[in-house]
Amino acid sequence: MAGTIDEAQVRKVAKLARLELTDEEVKRFSRDLAAILEYIQKLNELNTDGVEPLAHCLPITNVLRDDIVRPSLGAEATLANAPDRYEDYFKVPSIFDDNSGA
Amino acid sequence: MNDLEYQVVVGLEIHVHLATRTKMFCSCELAYGQAPNSRVCPVCLGMPGVLPIMNRQAVEFAILTAMALNCRVSPYTKWDRKSYYYPDLPKNYQISQYDLPIGQDGFIEIPIEQGRTKRIRIRRAHLEEDAGKNTHTFGDFSAIDLNRAGSPLLEIVTEPDLSSPAEVRALAQELQRIVRYLGVSEADMQKGHMRFEPNINLHVTRNGQVFKTPITEVKNLNSFRSIERSVAYEIERQLDEFIETGKTLQMGNKKTFGWDDESQCTVLQREKEEAHDYRYFPEPDLVPVEVSTEWMESIRSRLCELPLMREKRYIQQYRMSEYDAGVLTADRATAELFESAVQAGGEAKRVCNLLTQSGLKMSNDRGCTMAELGISPDKLARLAKMADNGQISATSAVLIFETMTQSTDEPEQIAAERNLIQKSDAGEIEVLVDQVIADHPQAVADWREGGKKSAKSRGFLMGQVIQKSKGQANPKMVSEILDRKK
């Protein structure tokens, strides 16, 4: 496991996260992230042979609810924080690559 | 010109909307066609600080379907976040299942030609949440309705075992029938309850060498016709492209297409320059699901005989045509109506005919299933018996069937009120036959003489007797008595 991260990796992750970074930011994040990764590296010192991967940190399973309808917020409250609306819809910049239902 | 041999290879990804009352992780009502953003809460809005809670019914529906698809059901499953950057899912991730899906390694039997079936392997079946709905037609912006966001979806992925457009369609239809049988989805195509994404490529043999064409994925198909046609179109398109360019499958040259229903062709949406990096990671807000043997068995007890098995059984047991068996097993309630009526003493062929002829037409007209026409198995059986023992004619049986869908009256009562009971009193019928013979000497002579006119004259005499009885004489008896007098 490499303890460092290069600028190309930062750009790739930024792209995947739809973040636009300046060259200056790419440099800074490469440095900062490398430091964080190095710190986390400490975990690699532990011997984890024979330890089951952990799916969740709480020793609980099966938190389920019954299929019973409870009131929703209603359109007005739902849209109260919306930056923009069109009738009772959220209004957002045009989505060209419609990936809905992915 | 190009004498290429090729094999079609298709795998199918299917999203099935589960018929729960509420969403996957919150208690908002699942409702189709409601006012926009009226079924939304802080959880499905992705507000900070909220916690999702699993819908037990959705988990059980998913397990039940996985069992029906012969999957290995995981006794332990968990949830993962899949990065997602569209406003129709405002959390910026979709809750899904990555490495521990609910079901794995199953199969589905699909009907192919001549009553044969083919086994298609199922790679996995997992639960996830649906996104909201985008509308782009109001102006130069997109409008988002989050009512659908967070609805439970079961994603089913097949192995690439399908080898023709017809097989792809058959699988889609068979799966629709299965989920309806299980009662886990309405599977209404018009409402988008099932969406299909075929992955298609060809294995072309040229000069003894096999070439694999680049895989294309067609997104979001929601009708059986469009699935079949888009696959057929892609086969042609890929073959042309291969002949022209010789391009073959490589890492990263998978393409995504959409289907244009108007021009009936696929349209390139994007070329993937790298494998999708969804950056899955374990969902910390949801604890894993452990399915105990006990829970598993209680779900398994809800499994029923699946439609294709039932269809085959009808063909064997009742000597039914494939068509009739298909109509009767189209939905579970109708199949159960049929079987209960037969159990109540209705002759299978007669019950079948009443349903597949009158019943089917009426249910189509009313947009419901045959079981929803409101005829109880017991009444259906009695009606069939009346027709069978000649108390009523086949035509009257249809009329009574129709009347029964609109009233609670007994079939016997309707028959009596409408004067549909056939006269089967031999003495009474004989009187009528004698009168007709006396009234029509010429026809009688032609009939008795034999020859060309005989059959026609006999038919005429039959008709006269029936008419004299005001349509109530049992034709079978009239025929017998008449022939005795030849």
Side-chain angles (χ1 to χ4, degrees), chain B residues 62-81:
Chain B
I63 293 175
L64 184 64
T65 313
M67 285 173 171
L69 296 176
N70 308 290
C71 287
R72 191 156 44 77
V73 176
S74 311
Y76 184 88
T77 70
K78 71 179 225 309
W79 301 94
D80 299 279
R81 291 183 177 183

Side-chain angles (χ1 to χ4, degrees), chain A residues 12-13 15-18 55-56 58 60-75 78-79 81 86-95 97-102, chain B residues 20-24 26-28 36-40 53-56 76 78 84-88 94 134 136 138 141-144 146 195 220 270 277 279 284 286-290:
Chain A
K12 186 186 171 199
V13 172
K15 190 182 169 204
L16 289 169
R18 310 309 195 258
H56 201 275
L58 297 175
I60 318 171
T61 58
N62 298 6
V63 178
L64 298 143
R65 71 185 160 79
D66 290 334
D67 188 22
I68 294 166
V69 176
R70 305 230 320 246
S72 299
L73 283 179
T78 296
L79 292 160
N81 287 332
Y86 171 78
E87 294 177 353
D88 282 345
Y89 295 91
F90 290 92
K91 184 175 173 181
V92 301
S94 251
I95 312 161
D97 184 6
D98 183 357
N99 201 31
S100 57
Chain B
T20 51
R21 292 189 194 93
T22 65
K23 293 187 179 182
M24 185 67 234
C26 63
S27 301
C28 286
N37 293 308
S38 61
R39 302 294 189 277
V40 178
I53 310 175
M54 276 171 264
N55 183 337
R56 182 191 312 275
Y76 184 88
K78 71 179 225 309
Y84 185 91
Y85 290 100
Y86 297 92
D88 51 12
Q94 177 190 31
N134 306 318
H136 314 291
F138 295 132
F141 58 90
S142 295
I144 315 292
L146 294 176
R195 300 198 295 265
N220 278 336
R270 65 169 171 262
D277 191 343
R279 293 172 301 144
L286 287 162
V287 297
V289 184
E290 250 179 306

Side-chain angles (χ1 to χ4, degrees), chain A residues 13-31:
Chain A
V13 172
K15 190 182 169 204
L16 289 169
R18 310 309 195 258
L19 293 175
E20 206 178 344
L21 302 183
T22 62
D23 289 349
E24 182 49 44
E25 283 170 320
V26 170
K27 272 202 182 75
R28 183 152 51 88
F29 283 128
S30 304
R31 225 167 31 236

Side-chain angles (χ1 to χ4, degrees), chain B residues 150-289:
Chain B
S151 302
L153 276 186
L154 185 64
E155 179 176 320
I156 299 163
V157 184
T158 79
E159 294 291 346
D161 292 346
L162 297 154
S163 42
S164 73
E167 283 183 16
V168 177
R169 184 193 181 117
L171 187 138
Q173 287 177 317
E174 195 54 33
L175 187 65
Q176 183 192 45
R177 212 154 56 137
I178 290 174
V179 295
R180 284 183 172 171
Y181 257 62
L182 298 173
V184 300
S185 175
E186 285 175 51
D188 186 334
M189 306 292 281
Q190 254 108 50
K191 292 183 186 168
H193 288 161
M194 288 180 94
R195 300 198 295 265
F196 301 89
E197 292 171 8
N199 274 264
I200 308 147
N201 81 335
L202 307 176
H203 293 183
V204 187
T205 308
R206 191 165 62 186
N207 305 327
Q209 211 187 333
V210 179
F211 300 89
K212 297 178 179 177
T213 59
I215 295 175
T216 55
E217 176 174 312
V218 185
K219 296 290 273 183
N220 278 336
L221 298 164
N222 56 11
S223 79
F224 295 129
R225 215 179 52 167
S226 63
I227 306 162
E228 191 174 11
R229 291 197 179 167
S230 64
V231 173
Y233 184 88
E234 266 305 305
I235 293 170
E236 293 297 315
R237 197 197 59 76
Q238 290 192 12
L239 198 60
D240 286 350
E241 187 182 82
F242 176 75
I243 292 166
E244 229 171 83
T245 68
K247 257 193 217 157
T248 57
L249 180 63
Q250 278 156 17
M251 270 303 282
N253 70 350
K254 179 175 167 174
K255 290 176 183 172
T256 304
F257 282 76
W259 175 248
D260 186 337
D261 220 17
E262 254 167 55
S263 57
Q264 294 284 306
C265 64
T266 57
V267 183
L268 183 64
Q269 283 185 341
R270 65 169 171 262
E271 296 191 52
K272 297 181 182 181
E273 68 282 0
E274 57 189 323
H276 256 292
D277 191 343
Y278 293 118
R279 293 172 301 144
Y280 282 98
F281 73 96
E283 164 62 278
D285 287 348
L286 287 162
V287 297
V289 184

